[in-house]
Amino acid sequence: MKDVATAAGVALKTVSRVVNEEPGVTPATARRVLAAIERLGYRRNESARLLRRGRTATIGLVIEDVGDPFYSGMGRAVEQVALAHGSLMFSGSSGEDPRRERDLVLAFCARRVDGLVIVPAGPDHGYLRPELDAGVAAVFADRPGGLDADTVLCANSAGAYAGVAHLLRRGHRRVAFLGDDPAIFTAAERLAGYRRALADAGLGADPSLVAMGPPERAGAALSAMLAGGDPPTAVFTGNSRITVAVLRAGHRPPLVAFDDFELADLLVPGVTVVAQDPMGLGRTAAELLFERIAGGRGPARRIELPTRLVPRGSGELPPAPGTAGPGHR
Amino acid sequence: MKDVATAAGVALKTVSRVVNEEPGVTPATARRVLAAIERLGYRRNESARLLRRGRTATIGLVIEDVGDPFYSGMGRAVEQVALAHGSLMFSGSSGEDPRRERDLVLAFCARRVDGLVIVPAGPDHGYLRPELDAGVAAVFADRPGGLDADTVLCANSAGAYAGVAHLLRRGHRRVAFLGDDPAIFTAAERLAGYRRALADAGLGADPSLVAMGPPERAGAALSAMLAGGDPPTAVFTGNSRITVAVLRAGHRPPLVAFDDFELADLLVPGVTVVAQDPMGLGRTAAELLFERIAGGRGPARRIELPTRLVPRGSGELPPAPGTAGPGHR
DNA sequence: CGCCCCGATGACAACGTTGTCGGCGAGGAG
DNA sequence: CTCCTCGCCGACAACGTTGTCATCGGGGCG
């Protein structure tokens, strides 16, 4: 900018005025400055500008895995909203590691991002407190953080309830639940929805029909259940990785899966899913964030986005005749 | 930092020394400073630091769609390499729009990123010239840019050749090619590989077996070919979106698809693919980039990553008896 | 004709760091 | 005892901007 000023024979400040389209510059002067800018290939140093102004027009996104379709869809939505607000987006993956999440968030804060969208990897966000007090905005997405900040969730419990109820309406009385580690918020919520659906249908909860754990064990868990004395007639899977694990293991039971996935419609039978809305999640979280960045006060909000049941065949199968012997109800 | 200095009763510079772990500070002083830092919850302003030092420890990633599994896998690999080099990553989607790509890149450059990994949306990157001259490093990934910079590609032509040859070995003589707009580099390359495979097998190129265009038209295009007088007995699809479009249209021809996709193994029959290596693409591109950022000189390099043929069933089907009447060869 | 006002421009400080250099005090050597 | 050296520390400028205020000149009005 100094060079431009020299080249155009004006003061630094005048160049600044031209670049920022501030009023009070003669068209003739402005033309001279613009010509010099063009000639020198000058581009304003945004970092310096933002250092001076105090706003960085940058947000940070911390998700579990940039490569996971669910989260990357979310990221895309966040990016779109950021774009609309003239902000750029840092992004990083926590890989479910709370320490890595913390490091990323702090690195973003050190860059003085205006705000953060975080998919919490761990339950404890005490490290965020000083940052929030320092004026950084933060929104938790997909799972609640350990802090009283705006939060956007999917209707995990209600969605699982709807999915299980869908199976019950088809006459199933023994529905297995295959979920992830219950330490994960969404897994626990979905399990709760499953239990509520059974209870509301007047069915007792049979612990032998519930298997919680890492997806790679889901296939074997289901095999064991099916080989047992009183097998399930239908299955509800708690997330896509588990769904895929079950399918890869060769099982094609009557099935409703939580979370939609690419090509679910092309399998035979098509997989009935309780679809979440990753783009909606990202969009909503980013919108809340920018409200806060714009100065929005008030108590933390908690928004639950509805899920949508998408029947595709696997969830509409009746109990296989003979699988559930008489005497069950 | 000023506050910390005051609180600890030392000069600004001493705090800076402590924060940067520079030598020449008495342990006692350092302790006092660290205590003050802790008490005030001070965190170094990275932007200001980097403004002074000239390096931002930041790279920019411009891909076609953050939400596309192929590109987001690539992004994850880039992120990992960036992390290993202590850098953060801006990311943005161009959505195949050259103008948006340009805006993103220039926004990143205005933030003075050290380098860029770009999946080119358009053929012209003249706008990058001044930035490169200004010292920004850039690597093109997946497609070449219109500029002499490091480039990492998949073996598009060789991969397509291998996929088509695979079908020819099974006895197919009329293989259709369904590809994307030939203005897209990868589409054109794959078409070339297809043609080369046919030629090397002594088969003439039948234009009626080639359909290039947007994925949403691929299903109809194949339907038309199959309804024609001399239909193909096998199909080669040029990318995953086209593959999925064909499958959604209900076709299950003998098929080899360029680019792997989630659940390809679970369809019936499993889809034989020519798998690319998105993580390898991202990793390699990022590694080249950081070499340049570290000062690596020398001419632009062009690396082609090999593809891998993954047989899953659909590509091993023989010609359906009767589809290719006698008289063809 | 003189004064005042206003529009255009410029000088300077500040944002939060780090690089450079100089001062100051202690300890060792002559 | 004096001088030199060396280790610790601080003052100041600089990075590239923008905000604040001063300056300068011209035109309108009394």
Side-chain angles (χ1 to χ4, degrees):
Chain A
M1 184 175 266
K2 195 161 39 171
D3 299 340
V4 174
T6 314
V10 298
L12 206 57
K13 181 63 204 184
T14 301
V15 179
S16 171
R17 273 193 261 262
V18 172
V19 169
N20 292 297
E21 303 183 356
E22 287 173 29
V25 178
T26 316
T29 313
R31 265 197 305 279
R32 250 196 0 266
V33 172
L34 289 174
I37 288 178
E38 185 65 30
R39 188 146 35 88
L40 299 181
Y42 164 81
R43 192 111 42 208
R44 174 171 64 193
N45 184 328
E46 217 50 40
S47 316
R49 167 171 214 239
L50 298 170
L51 169 62
R52 190 70 228 288
R53 311 197 93 196
R55 265 286 170 79
T56 58
T58 303
I59 65 171
L61 171 69
V62 180
I63 58 192
E64 196 247 308
D65 180 359
V66 173
D68 182 297
F70 181 83
Y71 294 114
S72 61
M74 213 189 101
R76 179 151 177 62
V78 172
E79 185 203 329
Q80 281 171 354
V81 176
L83 175 70
H85 285 81
S87 287
L88 291 186
M89 181 182 87
F90 279 119
S91 68
S93 308
S94 69
E96 292 290 8
D97 177 355
R99 237 196 50 198
R100 172 130 180 68
E101 174 204 311
R102 178 175 160 277
D103 291 349
L104 265 173
V105 166
L106 292 183
F108 290 164
C109 287
R111 295 299 220 289
R112 297 295 188 270
V113 295
D114 297 331
L116 293 159
V117 173
I118 304 176
V119 176
D124 177 29
H125 291 80
Y127 69 85
L128 249 180
R129 187 78 269 162
E131 311 300 336
L132 296 185
D133 293 342
V136 179
V139 174
F140 292 118
D142 191 47
R143 316 168 190 174
L147 221 51
D148 192 38
D150 289 342
T151 305
V152 185
L153 305 171
C154 286
N156 290 292
S157 178
Y161 185 102
V164 173
H166 188 72
L167 287 168
L168 298 178
R169 271 198 301 278
R170 286 305 186 285
H172 296 280
R173 285 298 170 267
R174 292 186 59 73
V175 177
F177 184 91
L178 299 174
D180 213 320
D181 185 342
I184 299 176
F185 171 81
T186 52
E189 285 287 297
R190 291 165 198 174
L191 176 59
Y194 160 80
R195 289 196 168 130
R196 221 157 28 83
L198 292 189
D200 283 4
L203 296 169
D206 180 345
S208 75
L209 290 182
V210 174
M212 306 292 281
E216 53 272 27
R217 290 222 279 270
L222 179 55
S223 301
M225 284 182 195
L226 292 173
D230 197 359
T233 65
V235 176
F236 187 85
T237 48
N239 69 39
S240 283
R241 281 197 296 258
I242 290 181
T243 308
V244 171
V246 164
L247 296 174
R248 284 241 161 78
H251 300 296
R252 292 291 182 282
L255 169 70
V256 174
F258 200 102
D259 193 16
D260 201 359
F261 55 97
E262 187 76 17
L263 303 193
D265 57 327
L266 284 186
L267 298 177
V268 181
V271 178
T272 296
V273 301
V274 175
Q276 309 181 77
D277 181 8
M279 300 278 285
L281 206 59
R283 185 167 25 78
T284 309
E287 280 165 358
L288 289 186
L289 184 68
F290 278 100
E291 275 179 36
R292 294 292 180 184
I293 290 176
R297 297 283 148 240
R301 289 158 293 181
R302 184 186 179 111
I303 294 182
E304 271 204 5
L305 297 183
T307 56
R308 196 167 44 93
L309 194 121
V310 184
R312 295 201 179 108
S314 75
E316 291 69 42
L317 299 172
T323 37
H328 289 292
R329 55 197 207 103
Chain B
M1 185 175 266
K2 195 162 36 170
D3 299 340
V4 173
T6 314
V10 297
L12 206 56
K13 181 63 204 187
T14 302
V15 179
S16 170
R17 273 192 264 261
V18 172
V19 170
N20 292 298
E21 301 182 357
E22 288 174 28
V25 180
T26 316
T29 313
R31 264 197 306 279
R32 251 195 1 266
V33 171
L34 288 174
I37 287 178
E38 184 66 27
R39 189 147 34 88
L40 298 182
Y42 165 80
R43 191 112 44 209
R44 175 172 64 192
N45 184 329
E46 226 35 54
S47 316
R49 167 172 212 236
L50 299 170
L51 168 61
R52 190 68 230 285
R53 309 195 94 196
R55 264 285 169 79
T56 58
T58 303
I59 65 170
L61 171 69
V62 181
I63 57 192
E64 196 248 307
D65 180 359
V66 173
D68 182 299
F70 181 84
Y71 294 113
S72 62
M74 213 188 102
R76 179 151 176 63
V78 172
E79 185 201 331
Q80 281 170 353
V81 176
L83 174 70
H85 285 79
S87 287
L88 292 185
M89 181 182 87
F90 279 120
S91 68
S93 309
S94 68
E96 293 289 7
D97 177 355
R99 239 195 48 198
R100 172 129 180 71
E101 175 204 309
R102 179 174 162 278
D103 292 347
L104 266 173
V105 166
L106 292 183
F108 290 163
C109 288
R111 296 297 220 287
R112 295 299 187 269
V113 294
D114 296 331
L116 293 160
V117 174
I118 304 176
V119 176
D124 177 29
H125 292 80
Y127 70 86
L128 250 180
R129 189 76 271 162
E131 312 298 336
L132 296 185
D133 294 342
V136 180
V139 174
F140 293 118
D142 191 48
R143 316 171 190 172
L147 221 49
D148 192 38
D150 289 342
T151 305
V152 185
L153 306 171
C154 286
N156 290 293
S157 177
Y161 185 102
V164 173
H166 188 72
L167 287 168
L168 297 179
R169 271 198 301 278
R170 286 305 185 284
H172 294 282
R173 286 297 170 270
R174 293 187 58 73
V175 178
F177 183 90
L178 299 174
D180 212 322
D181 185 342
I184 300 176
F185 171 81
T186 53
E189 284 289 297
R190 292 166 197 174
L191 176 59
Y194 160 81
R195 289 197 169 130
R196 220 157 30 82
L198 292 189
D200 284 3
L203 295 170
D206 181 345
S208 75
L209 291 181
V210 173
M212 307 293 281
E216 55 270 28
R217 289 222 279 270
L222 180 54
S223 301
M225 285 183 195
L226 292 172
D230 196 358
T233 66
V235 175
F236 186 85
T237 50
N239 68 39
S240 284
R241 282 197 297 258
I242 289 180
T243 308
V244 171
V246 164
L247 296 173
R248 285 241 161 77
H251 299 296
R252 290 292 182 281
L255 169 69
V256 174
F258 200 101
D259 193 16
D260 201 359
F261 55 97
E262 186 77 18
L263 302 193
D265 58 327
L266 284 185
L267 297 177
V268 180
V271 178
T272 296
V273 301
V274 175
Q276 308 182 77
D277 181 7
M279 300 278 284
L281 205 60
R283 184 166 28 77
T284 309
E287 280 166 358
L288 290 186
L289 184 68
F290 278 101
E291 274 180 37
R292 294 292 181 184
I293 291 176
R297 298 282 148 241
R301 289 158 293 180
R302 184 186 179 111
I303 294 181
E304 270 203 8
L305 297 182
T307 56
R308 195 168 45 91
L309 193 120
V310 184
R312 294 204 179 105
S314 74
E316 291 68 43
L317 300 172
T323 37
H328 290 293
R329 57 195 206 103

